Amino acid sequence: MCIAFPSKWNQEDKDAYIKFFNNALCEFGIEVMLGINDSDAIYNSFLPQRSNKNSLLINYNAGYIEYIVRNNERKKYIKVSSLGSDLVVEILLDECRKDINFQETLEYTSKMSQLDQDIIMSYVKREIRKGVEYSVTFGNYPNLDVNYNLVGELTAYGYTDTCYAEKRKYKFEIDCQIDKYIGSYKEKLENELNMLIEETGIDCDNKIDNVIITGHDSYMPWMCEVVKKVFNTSTIHIDQSGCFAIARGIALFAKQQIKTYKTLIHI
């Protein structure tokens, strides 16, 4: 059993996490063999791609971004950002709130479902995220098309003649261009990457040679777009299975540790 910790956890948090797993798994005779930081797992996930060059790993997820810079294999720099892809969903949700039809649907749905509007918005946010992922995955980007009936999802009302007759009353219909609204978000990403260059001392004479974009949302096109703009002379690789990067890194690290242990016991 090998696990990963958020990179900013202190040792006390890590020990408590290991204790939790050990207590849960003791009846099966399993215990945690080792634990490493997320950033180390990500880095080990791309072990074959390391070289004598400056590399930047971008771990792009819904709630956060983790930047890992390796400077000629000697210096490691880690920065965690709050500009995760959920901010894109929040921006789109804020735009929806401004629409009169959306406001009316929200009021009708709240009355019919007896749910607080904040709870309803959490459902709609989930559908917007699914819509964004669908748009990117199936080549519809930047088009976003969401049709969602929460009343129909929570009750049998969605299948009645009354519902079909009043479907617009309880149906959230979102049809827009994602890129139209996320210009400011992309500017923040660009500023953050430029700041990263300054903080790490990676300039024109000592540039980033390789950029690897991984993480659950590595395939989101705006991230690649911004990275290409900032690091236009770098080799850029997008991890097509980014959601497994940490698990892959843990497995590779554990494999190496077991191999080393087996070698040492014979010395």
Side-chain angles (χ1 to χ4, degrees):
M1 180 73 180
C2 307
I3 59 177
F5 315 107
S7 299
K8 287 201 169 185
W9 274 13
N10 58 37
Q11 192 57 48
E12 185 178 348
D13 292 330
K14 294 175 182 178
D15 291 342
Y17 197 51
I18 291 175
K19 183 178 180 181
F20 166 79
F21 273 101
N22 285 341
N23 288 339
L25 297 170
C26 64
E27 63 178 297
F28 304 105
I30 301 172
E31 64 179 18
V32 176
M33 182 182 81
L34 59 87
I36 61 175
N37 290 335
D38 281 352
S39 57
D40 292 324
I42 289 287
Y43 185 66
N44 277 283
S45 184
F46 297 95
L47 197 62
Q49 292 164 289
R50 293 189 292 179
S51 66
N52 279 338
K53 299 180 178 181
N54 296 321
S55 298
L56 169 63
L57 285 171
I58 300 175
N59 181 20
Y60 188 47
N61 296 283
Y64 69 97
I65 310 173
E66 193 170 42
Y67 301 102
I68 307 164
V69 177
R70 285 282 188 171
N71 187 357
N72 293 324
E73 291 291 332
R74 293 188 298 274
K75 181 181 177 182
K76 180 179 174 183
Y77 175 87
I78 301 172
K79 179 176 182 177
V80 179
S81 159
S82 60
L83 295 180
S85 62
D86 259 357
L87 284 184
V88 170
V89 180
E90 289 288 354
I91 290 169
L92 296 172
L93 194 61
D94 286 341
E95 287 301 318
C96 290
R97 288 188 177 100
K98 300 174 185 177
D99 183 76
I100 295 176
N101 291 329
F102 185 94
Q103 293 172 9
E104 290 179 348
T105 303
L106 181 61
E107 291 176 7
Y108 290 139
T109 300
S110 181
K111 291 177 182 177
M112 183 67 180
S113 65
Q114 299 294 304
L115 290 174
D116 184 82
Q117 290 192 6
D118 288 339
I119 295 176
I120 296 170
M121 291 299 283
S122 70
Y123 282 99
V124 177
K125 179 180 176 180
R126 178 197 66 187
E127 293 303 311
I128 291 177
R129 164 159 277 283
K130 287 165 62 177
V132 171
E133 292 175 349
Y134 182 91
S135 174
V136 173
T137 303
F138 291 94
N140 297 326
Y141 181 84
N143 300 313
L144 175 64
D145 185 12
V146 176
N147 292 283
Y148 179 56
N149 188 329
L150 177 62
V151 172
E153 180 182 277
L154 298 180
T155 69
Y157 182 79
Y159 301 98
T160 65
D161 292 337
T162 306
C163 178
Y164 287 123
E166 300 182 344
K167 63 179 181 179
R168 289 188 61 85
K169 192 171 183 178
Y170 300 106
K171 191 174 184 180
F172 292 95
E173 296 180 298
I174 303 165
D175 184 8
C176 68
Q177 297 279 307
I178 298 171
D179 273 353
K180 181 180 178 181
Y181 301 107
I182 63 172
S184 61
Y185 173 75
K186 289 193 284 188
E187 284 180 13
K188 290 178 181 178
L189 284 178
E190 184 178 344
N191 291 336
E192 191 164 74
L193 288 170
N194 284 318
M195 190 177 299
L196 188 74
I197 292 173
E198 293 180 14
E199 292 174 353
T200 56
I202 303 294
D203 53 27
C204 294
D205 297 323
N206 187 29
K207 66 181 182 65
I208 290 288
D209 300 287
N210 303 302
V211 180
I212 300 170
I213 306 174
T214 188
H216 185 273
D217 291 327
S218 58
Y219 61 97
M220 293 300 174
W222 54 80
M223 173 55 86
C224 184
E225 176 188 332
V226 174
V227 168
K228 285 181 177 178
K229 182 177 180 181
V230 176
F231 300 102
N232 53 25
T233 62
S234 305
T235 300
I236 298 171
H237 169 74
I238 300 175
D239 183 9
Q240 298 300 323
S241 56
C243 56
F244 299 109
I246 291 178
R248 185 170 63 235
I250 296 171
L252 290 171
F253 182 77
K255 180 181 178 181
Q256 184 60 45
Q257 293 297 306
I258 292 170
K259 182 179 178 180
T260 302
Y261 174 74
K262 288 181 177 179
T263 302
L264 289 175
I265 62 175
H266 294 296
I267 297 176

